[in-house]
Amino acid sequence: MTETRRKSAWPWLAALWLLVVLGLGWQQAMFWQSPRLDSDVLALLPGLDASPAVATASERLAGQGTRQLVVLLGHEDPARARAASLAFAASLDGDDRLRALPADATGAEALATYAAFQRGLLTREQRLALEQGDPAALANEALARLFAPGVAPRWAADPLGLDTGWWQARAGQGPRFAEGWLSLRADGRHWGVQRFELVGSAFALDGERHLQVRLDRAFAAARAVAGDGLVRMQAGVPLHAEAAAVQANREVATIGLGSLAAVLLLVWLAFRSLRPIVLVALSLAVGVAAGVAATDLVFGSVHLLTLVFGASLVGVAEDYGIHYFASRQQSDTPPRTLLRQLLPALALALATSVLAYLALAIAPFPGLRQMAVFSAAGLAAAFLTVVLWFPWLDRRAPRHSRFSDRVAATLARWPRWPAGRAGLVPALALGAFLVAGLLQLQPRDDLRSLQASPLALLESERDVGRLLDLPSPAQFFLVSGATPEDLLQAEERLLDRLAPLRAQGVLGGWRAVSDWLPSMARQQADARLRAAVEEKVLAAASATLGETLVPAPDPSAWLEPGTALAWPALSPLQPLWLGEQAGAWHSLVLVSGIGHESLGALAALHAPAEGVAWVDRAADYSGLLAHYRVVMGWLLLAGYAAVILVLHLRFGRSAWRAWLPTVLAALSTLALLGWLGMPLQLFGVLAQLLLLGFGVDYGIFLLEHRGDPSSWLAVSLGACSTTLSFGLLALSATPALQGFGLSLLVGLALVWLATPLFRQRPASPAPALHH
């Protein structure tokens, strides 16, 4: 009765799965019309345990400029540089993907805005000169200025010539807008500066650089005007996003199609029939579609690295189909009966593989969880396709092939590890190799291992940042105060400590609200200092000129954050002013021109008691990677301990034969990394987790089916395809995936080679292969 129910349920389940697959096809058609893809490296990582103010600051900096890019066109001739910039902008005018951003307010507008507050604004140099200067000498300088052309009418209001100094010091920080173009002079060239905002998505997995093509076309128009001496630099998140999309398209094709080609070639060599190739390819296609759909459903988007990683799924998902056809080749049992016999083993293989992938999701990394969901859903879909459809679509057993017979026959000729003293010498040699390699292994946890932007783009980004003195969004100071006034005073104390570092060349500069909006205390102190010195200077000048000179009146108004931050001249500073949070006011001070040697000096200024916190997001994320590398390492050790216990319950004293090959392969892989000078990273530890999940299966299979050539054929084909698929990840331009693929390539190959060395002798003579 139970058997009858199973037979009647099978067609209904197959039909139900057909409806699910049709739904997957519709979902994929909709998804790829407007793919929700992500290339942000930080989206792969968990949020740091940061204060709300730090989190807000990071979100503000991450959101600012994510759709903007900067283009610099340089030429030795300023006229040609200007003509090139205008031609470049004209070529992109009306483009539906790029919108030109206007230049900031002109110097004349900003100077007029600050005119009413000028007497309370002194530069650091002016303040020092007034505090330490000799009144007599200052009076002589003032009298000399009096007789300079054009000065006399306004001399009495500003005898020391201080009014324009504060603004000139700030107007010189960056490009200058004049004659219709924004420009600067550096490195022996005149540079036109243009900013654009991307309209729409930078992602298009068709292998084309749509944004770059537009910029190249505009540059060709600019060079036609300026000649061959024109130089271009460009920077911006959209450029990195497009480069990541193009790179992902190439790698998905290389890894996915390469894996598919390898799998289908193995199937053809083993079974010499088109039907197994078509059916295995069908199960793989359904698996990949299910992986994309599940990831999009759970996370709302799919990261590009998830697609690249998921391309290796092909080499794992084909195992179910290969096991089915390997058994079908050696048996005359009807398909549905055979599959019922294989179902427990296939289900166990699915469970172990899915658990191996889901182990990646233990760490709270969104990127790893995406990869785990993608792979688990894909494997489950491929499994269901084999179980529910293959018995209906497969009507004839594949014929035998010489390739299959030769692979299956290798088990009988495979050597065993020598027993007794004979095995001591290779054991000592292997031990020496492992110890020496492991001692050389060095951990390195670098956020840049998750990034794969082209070198030329990174160099251009650095050059643009240097010329424009752009601050780093990854390192900054978070300044706090009880009131806006306290906040500005804390900023000013910080800037006073940064000034010597800039003079020493430790950093290039900074961007701070208090540079343009001094605290009330500083404005009033500067006004008093200026009035006191001017009084002495005018007294000395009055004695010399024989007339009474009256100083300018005290200021009637002061700059205040509530009104000044709304000015167009200060709009670039508005993202730095975080406002009030949790009863305190916060702002950002961004620094530029820093290197690795500068970080220590900047970190030394960290003083929470004074309202100053140094935030280094890159170092924080690298520390997070290091933390989870250690955590997952301990989890890996616990996994090995749990596996040997479970194996002992099933196989007793023979359990070590299935466990030891994976241990040796894992240690050999790590030792090889040490010998090659390659670092151990979090992804390397995660590769060891998957190696444990996959590698032990080979030993279990050989213990369950001692001396069975057909079982060895299935193991060998599965191991070969899995090794090739993960090994192709070593071709990825992303260092983390590259190391991950290399570790699994070496590890899985070593497990496959080592497992037969420790196999038991067959309990009975091996069955002969059919020819």
Side-chain angles (χ1 to χ4, degrees), residues 451-476:
Q451 203 167 21
S453 292
L455 180 60
L457 180 56
L458 293 175
E459 291 176 347
S460 178
E461 187 105 22
R462 283 194 294 268
D463 289 338
V464 170
R466 176 178 56 84
L467 292 183
L468 298 181
D469 196 29
L470 297 178
S472 168
Q475 291 105 1
F476 55 87

Side-chain angles (χ1 to χ4, degrees), residues 70-85:
V70 180
V71 177
L72 272 64
L73 300 178
H75 201 285
E76 296 178 355
D77 183 355
R80 292 191 177 188
R82 180 177 181 274
S85 293

Side-chain angles (χ1 to χ4, degrees), residues 248-295:
N249 175 78
R250 183 162 54 247
E251 292 184 358
V252 167
T254 301
I255 297 169
L257 296 180
S259 300
L260 182 61
V263 167
L264 297 184
L265 178 61
L266 284 173
V267 173
W268 169 255
L269 292 174
F271 307 119
R272 295 289 182 174
S273 175
L274 182 62
R275 188 175 60 263
I277 293 178
V278 172
L279 292 182
V280 169
L282 173 64
S283 68
L284 298 180
V286 173
V288 172
V292 174
T295 305

Side-chain angles (χ1 to χ4, degrees), residues 518-570:
S519 66
M520 188 77 69
R522 174 150 290 183
Q523 293 179 65
Q524 293 174 349
D526 284 350
R528 288 194 300 269
L529 174 62
R530 177 172 178 168
V533 174
E534 283 183 353
E535 185 178 1
K536 296 177 182 178
V537 168
L538 290 177
S542 298
T544 301
L545 298 174
E547 59 181 276
T548 302
L549 300 175
V550 180
D554 292 335
S556 58
W558 309 98
L559 288 171
E560 296 181 9
T563 55
L565 286 174
W567 295 346
L570 294 188

